[in-house]
């Protein structure tokens, strides 16, 4: 189980200190939401900010590209220290080349799917990816309520992974708190992005540990030992 605090919910005046705060927890990933004001109706931050936080977080930087032209940003994010980059399946015909490009840069390959998009859209790419990001809110803003109708997509992604003998991670993102993380874990998710529900706590370490306990227990019902 991987817990990925999202920097979008951190104090924007103190990015490096907030990344360092996440580093002092057991969180394996720091999730970085990149928005271009075109693919989504908001703008967040870019490669310069990621470069600035890179020294503060010693583990995996998970870059989620909610942008219309990710190809122009791959090199800058690699230079900035990204470990993996995720693009959206809604980019259609461009997706295949984008996934190959990320792979050729030696980074982990992620593919995201928005709530209104059918999960079958990702099926052709499953053998090419390391991570499938199932959005559980419409991307663009933190702090939105979890969309429960997305849960069957997690179950489908887990069923395909087993059937096709693949090992991509199943990541959920949007409205994730202890309760919704548990619901997603029981459906087969193994990677949990949480912004508001984690960064709102003074004691981020305790919040990460609490979420981890909940998803560990929920996943044991899926894979009893
Ligand atoms: C939404 C972003 C999320 C966001 C989640 O557009 O992709 O990663 O940070 O924020 P919360 O956890 O507050 O819903
Ligand atoms: Zn995200």
């Amino acid at each position: 189980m991987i817990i990925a605090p999202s920097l979008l919910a951190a104090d924007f005046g103190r990015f490096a200190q907030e990344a360092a705060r996440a580093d002092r927890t057991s969180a394996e990933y720091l999730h970085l939401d990149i928005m271009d004001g075109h693919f989504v109706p908001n703008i967040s931050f870019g490669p310069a900010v990621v470069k600035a936080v890179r020294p503060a977080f010693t583990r995996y930087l998970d870059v989620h590209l909610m942008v219309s032209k990710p190809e122009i940003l791959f090199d800058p994010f690699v230079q900035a220290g990204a470990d993996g980059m995720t693009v959206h399946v809604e980019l259609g015909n461009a997706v295949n080349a984008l996934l190959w490009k990320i792979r050729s840069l030696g980074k982990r390959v992620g593919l995201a799917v928005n709530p209104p998009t059918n999960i079958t859209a990702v099926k052709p790419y499953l053998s090419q990816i390391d991570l499938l990001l199932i959005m559980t809110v419409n991307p663009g803003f933190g702090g939105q309520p979890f969309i429960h109708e997305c849960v069957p997509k997690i179950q489908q992604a887990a069923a395909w992974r087993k059937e096709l003998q693949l090992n991509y991670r199943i990541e959920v993102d949007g409205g994730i708190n202890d309760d919704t993380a548990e619901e997603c874990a029981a459906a087969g998710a193994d990677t949990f992005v949480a912004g508001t529900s984690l960064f709102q706590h003074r004691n981020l370490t305790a919040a990460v540990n609490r979420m981890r306990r909940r998803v560990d227990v929920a996943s044991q019902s899926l894979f009893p030992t």
Side-chain angles (χ1 to χ4, degrees):
M1 294 288 153
I2 285 180
I3 309 291
S6 171
L7 199 66
L8 192 67
D11 178 346
F12 270 37
R14 299 161 33 93
F15 274 131
Q17 292 97 321
E18 291 284 76
R21 194 155 75 93
D23 196 50
R24 291 192 294 272
T25 74
S26 66
E28 293 86 349
Y29 286 8
L30 183 65
H31 186 80
L32 301 162
D33 286 307
I34 313 305
M35 304 177 182
D36 66 350
H38 185 261
F39 185 78
V40 288
N42 196 6
I43 294 177
S44 57
F45 47 80
V49 169
V50 174
K51 191 173 181 186
V53 305
R54 174 68 283 187
F57 190 79
T58 53
R59 295 176 295 281
Y60 187 97
L61 292 186
D62 181 33
V63 172
H64 177 192
L65 295 167
M66 287 163 275
V67 304
S68 298
K69 290 182 174 239
E71 64 276 15
I72 63 176
L73 293 169
F74 290 155
D75 283 326
F77 279 112
V78 170
Q79 298 294 321
D83 292 294
M85 293 184 284
T86 296
V87 296
H88 270 262
V89 75
E90 290 78 16
L91 296 176
N93 289 338
V95 169
N96 195 48
L98 293 170
L99 299 179
W100 278 107
K101 180 69 185 169
I102 300 170
R103 178 75 65 207
S104 74
L105 291 166
K107 300 298 159 190
R108 299 274 186 90
V109 180
L111 183 63
V113 56
N114 281 338
T117 305
N118 198 293
I119 190 67
T120 52
V122 304
K123 201 172 181 200
Y125 307 106
L126 294 178
S127 64
Q128 287 168 257
I129 63 175
D130 300 304
L131 177 144
L132 178 63
L133 170 48
I134 297 179
M135 290 303 303
T136 45
V137 299
N138 287 305
F141 301 91
Q144 302 181 75
F146 181 81
I147 302 174
H148 291 269
E149 287 75 12
C150 297
V151 172
K153 289 177 162 180
I154 304 169
Q155 290 164 329
Q156 180 60 260
W160 281 334
R161 183 170 60 182
K162 193 170 175 199
E163 185 185 312
L164 303 168
Q165 300 185 331
L166 296 170
N167 56 11
Y168 51 84
R169 302 203 69 86
I170 300 175
E171 183 175 62
V172 286
D173 182 8
I176 299 296
N177 56 36
D178 290 353
D179 293 334
T180 57
E182 180 180 78
E183 185 177 343
C184 292
D190 52 44
T191 305
F192 304 85
V193 177
T196 310
S197 78
L198 291 179
F199 272 103
Q200 69 178 347
H201 294 289
R202 281 251 305 275
N203 190 341
L204 188 57
T205 298
V208 169
N209 289 342
R210 258 195 316 273
M211 184 173 287
R212 187 184 302 288
R213 274 196 299 275
R214 291 286 292 275
V215 298
D216 279 348
V217 170
S219 73
Q220 275 158 21
S221 64
L222 270 183
F223 309 109
T225 44

Coordinates of all heavy atoms in Angstrom, one line a residue, residues 10-55:
A10 N -1.1 21.6 0.2 CA -0.1 22.2 1.2 C -0.2 23.7 1.2 O -0.9 24.3 0.4 CB 1.3 21.7 0.8
D11 N 0.5 24.3 2.1 CA 0.7 25.8 2.1 C 1.6 26.2 1.0 O 2.8 25.9 1.0 CB 1.3 26.1 3.5 CG 1.5 27.6 3.7 OD1 1.4 28.4 2.7 OD2 1.7 28.1 4.8
F12 N 1.0 26.9 0.0 CA 1.7 27.3 -1.2 C 2.8 28.3 -0.9 O 3.7 28.6 -1.8 CB 0.7 27.9 -2.3 CG 0.2 26.8 -3.2 CD1 -0.2 25.6 -2.7 CD2 0.0 27.1 -4.6 CE1 -0.7 24.6 -3.6 CE2 -0.6 26.2 -5.4 CZ -0.9 24.9 -5.0
G13 N 2.8 28.9 0.2 CA 3.9 29.8 0.6 C 5.1 29.1 1.2 O 6.1 29.8 1.4
R14 N 5.0 27.8 1.4 CA 6.0 27.1 2.0 C 6.2 25.7 1.4 O 6.3 24.7 2.1 CB 5.7 26.9 3.5 CG 5.5 28.2 4.3 CD 4.7 28.0 5.6 NE 4.9 26.7 6.2 CZ 5.8 26.4 7.2 NH1 6.6 27.4 7.6 NH2 5.9 25.2 7.7
F15 N 6.3 25.7 0.1 CA 6.4 24.4 -0.6 C 7.5 23.4 -0.1 O 7.2 22.3 0.2 CB 6.6 24.6 -2.1 CG 5.3 24.8 -2.9 CD1 5.3 25.9 -3.8 CD2 4.2 24.0 -2.8 CE1 4.1 26.1 -4.6 CE2 3.1 24.2 -3.6 CZ 3.0 25.3 -4.4
A16 N 8.7 23.9 0.0 CA 9.8 23.1 0.4 C 9.6 22.5 1.8 O 9.8 21.3 2.1 CB 11.1 23.8 0.3
Q17 N 9.1 23.4 2.8 CA 8.9 22.9 4.1 C 7.8 21.9 4.2 O 7.8 21.0 5.0 CB 8.5 24.1 5.1 CG 9.6 25.1 5.3 CD 9.5 26.3 4.4 OE1 9.2 26.2 3.2 NE2 9.8 27.5 4.9
E18 N 6.7 22.1 3.3 CA 5.6 21.2 3.3 C 6.1 19.8 2.7 O 5.7 18.7 3.2 CB 4.5 21.7 2.5 CG 3.8 22.9 3.1 CD 2.9 22.5 4.2 OE1 3.4 22.2 5.3 OE2 1.6 22.6 4.0
A19 N 6.9 19.9 1.7 CA 7.5 18.6 1.2 C 8.3 17.9 2.2 O 8.3 16.7 2.3 CB 8.3 18.9 -0.1
A20 N 9.1 18.7 3.0 CA 9.9 18.1 4.0 C 9.0 17.5 5.1 O 9.4 16.4 5.7 CB 10.8 19.2 4.6
R21 N 7.9 18.1 5.4 CA 7.0 17.6 6.4 C 6.4 16.2 5.9 O 6.4 15.3 6.7 CB 5.8 18.6 6.6 CG 4.9 18.4 7.7 CD 4.2 19.7 8.2 NE 3.2 20.1 7.3 CZ 1.9 19.8 7.6 NH1 1.5 19.1 8.6 NH2 0.9 20.2 6.8
A22 N 6.1 16.1 4.6 CA 5.7 14.8 4.0 C 6.8 13.8 4.1 O 6.6 12.6 4.4 CB 5.2 15.0 2.6
D23 N 8.0 14.3 3.9 CA 9.2 13.4 4.0 C 9.4 12.7 5.3 O 9.9 11.6 5.4 CB 10.5 14.1 3.5 CG 11.6 13.2 3.2 OD1 11.3 12.3 2.3 OD2 12.7 13.4 3.7
R24 N 9.0 13.5 6.4 CA 9.2 12.9 7.7 C 8.1 11.9 8.1 O 8.2 11.3 9.2 CB 9.2 14.1 8.7 CG 10.4 15.0 8.6 CD 10.6 15.9 9.8 NE 9.5 16.9 9.9 CZ 9.6 18.1 9.2 NH1 10.6 18.4 8.5 NH2 8.6 18.9 9.3
T25 N 7.1 11.7 7.2 CA 6.1 10.7 7.5 C 6.6 9.4 6.8 O 7.6 9.3 6.1 CB 4.7 11.1 6.9 OG1 4.8 10.9 5.4 CG2 4.4 12.5 7.2
S26 N 5.7 8.3 6.8 CA 6.0 7.1 6.1 C 5.5 7.1 4.6 O 5.6 6.1 4.0 CB 5.4 5.9 6.8 OG 4.0 6.0 6.8
A27 N 5.0 8.2 4.2 CA 4.5 8.3 2.8 C 5.6 7.9 1.8 O 6.6 8.5 1.8 CB 3.9 9.7 2.5
E28 N 5.2 7.0 0.9 CA 6.2 6.6 -0.1 C 6.3 7.5 -1.3 O 7.3 7.6 -2.0 CB 5.8 5.2 -0.7 CG 5.8 4.1 0.3 CD 4.6 3.9 1.2 OE1 3.7 4.8 1.1 OE2 4.5 2.9 1.9
Y29 N 5.2 8.2 -1.6 CA 5.1 9.1 -2.8 C 4.8 10.5 -2.3 O 4.0 10.7 -1.3 CB 4.0 8.7 -3.8 CG 4.2 7.5 -4.7 CD1 5.2 6.6 -4.5 CD2 3.2 7.3 -5.7 CE1 5.3 5.5 -5.3 CE2 3.3 6.2 -6.5 CZ 4.3 5.3 -6.3 OH 4.4 4.2 -7.1
L30 N 5.2 11.5 -3.0 CA 4.6 12.9 -3.0 C 4.0 13.1 -4.3 O 4.6 13.0 -5.4 CB 5.7 13.9 -2.7 CG 5.2 15.3 -2.5 CD1 4.3 15.4 -1.2 CD2 6.4 16.3 -2.3
H31 N 2.7 13.4 -4.3 CA 1.9 13.6 -5.5 C 1.9 15.1 -5.9 O 1.7 15.9 -5.1 CB 0.5 13.1 -5.3 CG -0.4 13.1 -6.5 ND1 -0.4 12.1 -7.4 CD2 -1.3 13.9 -6.9 CE1 -1.3 12.3 -8.3 NE2 -1.9 13.4 -8.1
L32 N 2.2 15.3 -7.2 CA 2.4 16.7 -7.7 C 1.4 16.9 -8.8 O 1.5 16.3 -9.9 CB 3.8 16.9 -8.1 CG 4.8 16.7 -7.0 CD1 6.2 16.5 -7.5 CD2 4.8 17.8 -6.0
D33 N 0.4 17.8 -8.6 CA -0.6 18.0 -9.6 C -0.3 19.2 -10.5 O -0.2 20.4 -10.0 CB -2.0 18.4 -8.8 CG -2.6 17.1 -8.2 OD1 -2.7 16.1 -9.0 OD2 -2.8 17.1 -7.0
I34 N -0.1 18.9 -11.7 CA 0.3 20.0 -12.7 C -0.9 20.3 -13.6 O -1.5 19.4 -14.2 CB 1.4 19.5 -13.6 CG1 2.6 18.8 -12.7 CG2 2.0 20.6 -14.4 CD1 3.1 19.7 -11.6
M35 N -1.4 21.6 -13.5 CA -2.6 22.0 -14.2 C -2.2 23.2 -15.1 O -1.5 24.1 -14.7 CB -3.6 22.4 -13.2 CG -4.0 21.4 -12.2 SD -5.2 22.0 -11.0 CE -5.4 20.6 -10.0
D36 N -2.8 23.2 -16.3 CA -2.3 24.2 -17.3 C -3.4 25.2 -17.7 O -3.2 26.0 -18.6 CB -1.9 23.5 -18.6 CG -3.1 22.8 -19.3 OD1 -4.2 22.6 -18.7 OD2 -2.9 22.3 -20.5
G37 N -4.6 25.2 -17.0 CA -5.6 26.2 -17.3 C -6.3 25.9 -18.6 O -7.1 26.7 -19.1
H38 N -6.1 24.7 -19.2 CA -6.7 24.4 -20.5 C -7.3 23.0 -20.4 O -8.5 22.9 -20.6 CB -5.6 24.5 -21.6 CG -6.2 24.3 -23.0 ND1 -6.1 23.0 -23.6 CD2 -6.8 25.1 -23.8 CE1 -6.7 23.2 -24.8 NE2 -7.1 24.4 -24.9
F39 N -6.5 22.0 -20.0 CA -7.1 20.7 -19.9 C -8.0 20.6 -18.7 O -9.0 19.9 -18.6 CB -5.9 19.6 -19.7 CG -6.4 18.2 -19.6 CD1 -6.7 17.5 -20.7 CD2 -6.5 17.6 -18.4 CE1 -7.2 16.2 -20.7 CE2 -7.0 16.3 -18.3 CZ -7.3 15.6 -19.4
V40 N -7.7 21.5 -17.7 CA -8.5 21.6 -16.5 C -8.6 23.1 -16.2 O -7.8 23.9 -16.6 CB -8.0 20.9 -15.2 CG1 -8.1 19.4 -15.3 CG2 -6.5 21.3 -15.0
P41 N -9.7 23.6 -15.6 CA -10.0 25.0 -15.4 C -9.2 25.6 -14.2 O -9.8 26.3 -13.4 CB -11.5 25.1 -15.2 CG -11.9 23.8 -14.6 CD -10.9 22.8 -15.2
N42 N -7.9 25.3 -14.1 CA -7.2 25.8 -13.0 C -5.7 25.7 -13.4 O -5.3 24.9 -14.2 CB -7.4 25.0 -11.7 CG -7.0 25.7 -10.4 OD1 -6.6 26.8 -10.4 ND2 -7.1 25.0 -9.3
I43 N -4.9 26.5 -12.7 CA -3.4 26.5 -12.9 C -2.8 26.2 -11.5 O -3.2 26.8 -10.5 CB -2.9 27.8 -13.5 CG1 -3.5 28.0 -14.9 CG2 -1.4 27.9 -13.5 CD1 -3.1 29.3 -15.6
S44 N -1.8 25.3 -11.5 CA -1.2 25.0 -10.2 C 0.2 25.5 -10.1 O 0.5 26.6 -9.8 CB -1.3 23.5 -9.8 OG -0.8 22.7 -10.8
F45 N 1.2 24.6 -10.5 CA 2.6 24.9 -10.5 C 3.3 24.1 -11.5 O 2.7 23.2 -12.0 CB 3.2 24.8 -9.1 CG 2.8 23.4 -8.4 CD1 3.5 22.3 -8.8 CD2 1.8 23.4 -7.5 CE1 3.2 21.1 -8.2 CE2 1.5 22.1 -6.9 CZ 2.2 21.0 -7.2
G46 N 4.5 24.4 -11.8 CA 5.3 23.8 -12.9 C 6.6 23.2 -12.4 O 6.9 23.0 -11.2
P47 N 7.5 22.9 -13.4 CA 8.7 22.2 -13.2 C 9.6 23.0 -12.2 O 10.4 22.4 -11.4 CB 9.4 22.2 -14.5 CG 8.3 22.3 -15.5 CD 7.2 23.1 -14.9
A48 N 9.6 24.3 -12.2 CA 10.5 25.1 -11.3 C 10.1 24.8 -9.8 O 11.0 24.7 -9.0 CB 10.4 26.6 -11.6
V49 N 8.8 24.6 -9.5 CA 8.4 24.3 -8.1 C 8.8 22.9 -7.8 O 9.3 22.6 -6.7 CB 6.9 24.6 -8.0 CG1 6.4 24.0 -6.6 CG2 6.6 26.0 -8.0
V50 N 8.7 22.0 -8.8 CA 9.0 20.6 -8.5 C 10.5 20.5 -8.2 O 11.0 19.8 -7.3 CB 8.6 19.7 -9.7 CG1 9.1 18.3 -9.5 CG2 7.1 19.7 -9.8
K51 N 11.3 21.3 -9.0 CA 12.8 21.3 -8.8 C 13.1 21.8 -7.4 O 14.0 21.3 -6.7 CB 13.4 22.2 -9.8 CG 14.9 22.1 -9.9 CD 15.5 22.8 -11.0 CE 17.0 22.7 -11.0 NZ 17.6 23.5 -12.1
A52 N 12.3 22.8 -6.9 CA 12.6 23.4 -5.6 C 12.3 22.5 -4.5 O 12.9 22.5 -3.4 CB 11.8 24.7 -5.5
V53 N 11.3 21.6 -4.7 CA 10.9 20.7 -3.6 C 11.7 19.4 -3.7 O 11.7 18.6 -2.7 CB 9.4 20.4 -3.5 CG1 8.6 21.7 -3.4 CG2 8.9 19.5 -4.7
R54 N 12.3 19.1 -4.8 CA 13.0 17.8 -5.0 C 13.9 17.5 -3.8 O 13.9 16.3 -3.3 CB 13.7 17.8 -6.3 CG 14.6 16.6 -6.6 CD 13.9 15.3 -6.9 NE 13.5 14.6 -5.7 CZ 13.0 13.4 -5.6 NH1 12.8 12.7 -6.8 NH2 12.6 12.8 -4.5
P55 N 14.8 18.4 -3.4 CA 15.7 18.0 -2.3 C 15.0 17.7 -0.9 O 15.5 17.0 -0.1 CB 16.6 19.2 -2.1 CG 16.4 20.0 -3.3 CD 15.1 19.8 -3.8

